[in-house]
Amino acid sequence: MERIPILRMGDLLLVTIQVDMHDRLAMTLQDDLTERIVRDNAKGVLIDISALDLVDSFIGRMISNTAAMARVLDAQTVVVGMQPAVAITLVELGLTLHGVKTALNVEKGMILLGKNLNR
């Protein structure tokens, strides 16, 4: 089964999505990520979607739901690298990604996570 790698960096988890997301892969990622948050006692999750050219309503909801699950598990989530077309599509679909912080790139996302974790 296809899986997206989840890398640990201290108390953060880094997910870089380099393949086209489909529904089953999104569900697998959600399960894998929540398990890793608990297992690694992660305090932050950085999801890099810069390689995604398209996000449909299901994938958008999955990102939002994954961030909500991470919050319940005491981890902050930042999504980075959103392409303009993806942002436009999410807004047109009415998906605001409640509770999901965003940053332009990985560097800015790491800074944002660091600020949130040091409070």
Side-chain angles (χ1 to χ4, degrees):
M1 180 184 345
E2 188 178 20
R3 284 192 139 66
I4 294 174
I6 300 170
L7 305 173
R8 183 176 181 182
M9 296 175 33
D11 58 355
L12 304 178
L13 298 175
L14 173 62
V15 178
T16 302
I17 301 171
Q18 297 290 322
V19 297
D20 288 332
M21 288 289 283
H22 52 78
D23 295 357
R24 182 174 301 222
L25 183 58
M27 296 292 288
T28 301
L29 174 60
Q30 187 176 57
D31 292 343
D32 290 348
L33 189 53
T34 53
E35 287 176 20
R36 284 291 301 273
I37 289 168
V38 171
R39 186 176 73 200
D40 296 340
N41 194 27
K43 297 299 177 196
V45 176
L46 189 90
I47 302 174
D48 180 4
I49 63 168
S50 59
L52 294 182
D53 294 325
L54 178 68
V55 172
D56 63 16
S57 61
F58 180 79
I59 301 302
R61 280 193 307 275
M62 291 302 297
I63 291 170
S64 183
N65 290 344
T66 300
M69 290 175 194
R71 266 193 316 280
V72 170
L73 296 171
D74 197 27
Q76 298 293 315
T77 302
V78 175
V79 174
V80 301
M82 187 177 301
Q83 299 293 327
V86 170
I88 291 167
T89 301
L90 290 176
V91 170
E92 287 176 349
L93 292 171
L95 296 173
T96 57
L97 303 180
H98 292 288
V100 179
K101 295 187 183 332
T102 59
L104 290 178
N105 56 44
V106 172
E107 181 182 1
K108 290 181 179 186
M110 295 292 281
I111 291 168
L112 183 58
L113 273 176
K115 287 179 183 176
N116 288 334
L117 297 178
N118 292 327
R119 286 184 182 179

